[in-house]
Structures are given as structure tokens and as C-alpha cells.
Amino acid sequence: MNRNYQKELEKVLSGLNDGDRVPRLFLHACCAPCSSYVLEYLSQYFEITVFYYNPNISPREEYEKRVEEIRRLIGEMPFVYPVTFVEGEYHPEEFYEMARGLEDVPEGGERCFKCYRMRMEEAARLAAEGGYDYFTTTLSISPLKNAAKINEIGEELSGIYHVSHLPSDFKKKNGYKRSIELSAEHELYRQNYCGCVFSKRKI
């Protein structure tokens, strides 16, 4: 049976008002456009640390442009609860090592799943170390990303690192549409490929 991750998210959010403390969320972010709606939505419920960790992005100039844009977005957007930014280390060689043998796999397949996991695992590890209540990723907002696989990985990592995974399918409820609107409003740079050299050759 197909799970409705948006409904699961709403159920979690509905139970957050029971305590006096605002819960803390460690949010892996892939880029500013995808983060825009997710931050607008979730900052009503959490204190958020945006974690920009994307060793898959190539070339370095593209990586730096996306960092700059997400920093700018966080500085411009109004939030209900505080949003802070942490940049992970950029070591693209780690991505290429992970992708070894999968270079010719079609976009959206096993190479991408391993890439999701690589980035989400670092987020889960740091969320656990930092005592966060939840971790999740913005990746599920993209119509081109496999939300079921993203959530499956998140749940597995939750069991390994002992930090709760926040379920998501952020494209639902017009989330992707809203991200496009916010991107236009903030004049965000919108890349035309996911980030890695393999996705770039598809354009």
C-alpha cells in the first residue's frame, strides 16, 4: 500500500503544540529554490538548522553559487521561529567514490538513491550529535525525486542514529508550485540540473 507521507507529516506536526519547548529540526537542504517552501512551512513548527551538504554538486562554481543563494534566502525570508545555517564540508571526491560503477545508471536510479543516502546520513549523524528532535531533507519537494525512497532511507537512518526522521513529501499540497512562486519573489537562481556531472549530461 502506498503511504501518504504528507499526511504522516501533518500528524507529527499536529502533536508538536503539546509541549512548552519549540522542537529543533536539522534540515538537509539541496538548494535555495527547494528550501524556500519547506522553510516557509516548517518554520511555523520548528527552530531549524539548515544543513547544506552536497558533495555531488559540480563544478565548484555551481556549488558556491548555490551556497550563496541559500544564505541570501535565509537572510531575506521571514520566519516564525529562528532559522540558522550550517555548511557541510565540500569533498566531491567522496561523491565520485560513492558513484563508482554506477556512472551509466539512468538518472533517478540506484546512483541517485545512494546520493540521497550519503547526504541524509551526514544530516542524521549531526542531528544526533547535536541533540536535535528531528532531521529531514528538502529533496522530496522535487517531482523528479523518489519520495518513497527518501523516506525509506530516513527511517532506516533514524534507527541507526537514534534521532527521529520527519516524514515528508513536500511537493504535495502545492508545495512545489509554492517553491516556484517564492523563487520568483526572491529572484533565486534556479539551476537546470540536479547537481552532479551525471545529471548535467541530461540537459
Side-chain angles (χ1 to χ4, degrees):
M1 185 178 73
N2 290 334
R3 290 168 59 182
N4 187 323
Y5 294 103
Q6 175 61 33
K7 290 263 195 256
E8 293 184 25
L9 171 59
E10 290 170 3
K11 184 176 180 181
V12 173
L13 297 180
S14 69
L16 293 179
N17 296 327
D18 296 343
D20 296 329
R21 186 179 67 85
V22 178
R24 298 167 67 228
L25 170 67
F26 201 71
L27 175 67
H28 167 262
C30 55
C31 63
C34 288
S35 301
S36 59
Y37 164 73
V38 178
L39 288 172
E40 180 182 67
Y41 182 25
L42 295 184
S43 70
Q44 302 171 72
Y45 304 95
F46 298 97
E47 288 185 8
I48 300 175
T49 296
V50 174
F51 177 50
Y52 189 82
Y53 173 67
N54 299 290
N56 56 308
I57 295 175
S58 176
R60 177 175 285 276
E61 292 76 18
E62 175 74 16
Y63 172 88
E64 292 174 350
K65 177 66 173 175
R66 297 192 195 191
V67 172
E68 177 187 320
E69 284 295 89
I70 199 163
R71 285 184 183 275
R72 180 171 70 83
L73 177 68
I74 292 169
E76 290 179 4
M77 281 187 73
F79 301 116
V80 177
Y81 295 115
V83 173
T84 55
F85 178 80
V86 171
E87 183 180 354
E89 295 186 3
Y90 179 59
H91 297 303
E93 66 276 8
E94 294 177 359
F95 167 75
Y96 291 114
E97 179 60 31
M98 178 222 74
R100 189 185 303 277
L102 299 171
E103 294 88 348
D104 295 324
V105 171
E107 189 71 3
E110 186 61 32
R111 185 186 62 246
C112 294
F113 297 163
K114 290 187 72 172
C115 185
Y116 300 166
R117 185 188 175 94
M118 180 183 192
R119 292 179 283 169
M120 291 175 70
E121 182 156 19
E122 184 69 357
R125 183 181 70 81
L126 292 176
E129 284 185 5
Y132 285 79
D133 299 288
Y134 293 91
F135 80 99
T136 196
T137 178
T138 61
L139 288 169
S140 71
I141 197 168
S142 170
L144 301 177
K145 300 289 189 293
N146 187 320
K149 179 58 70 172
I150 289 166
N151 282 277
E152 175 188 312
I153 293 168
E155 290 168 6
E156 180 188 350
L157 293 172
S158 175
I160 295 170
Y161 290 96
H162 309 292
V163 58
S164 295
H165 172 251
L166 192 69
S168 74
D169 193 353
F170 292 121
K171 71 180 72 67
K172 296 290 181 68
K173 295 187 70 175
N174 290 317
Y176 180 67
K177 178 174 180 288
R178 178 59 179 155
S179 75
I180 294 173
E181 294 169 354
L182 286 165
S183 296
E185 183 180 323
H186 291 275
E187 299 182 336
L188 295 177
Y189 163 65
R190 289 184 65 87
Q191 62 281 355
N192 60 357
Y193 66 106
C194 179
C196 75
V197 293
F198 309 113
S199 63
K200 192 172 185 179
R201 68 190 180 193
K202 297 297 183 185
I203 61 175

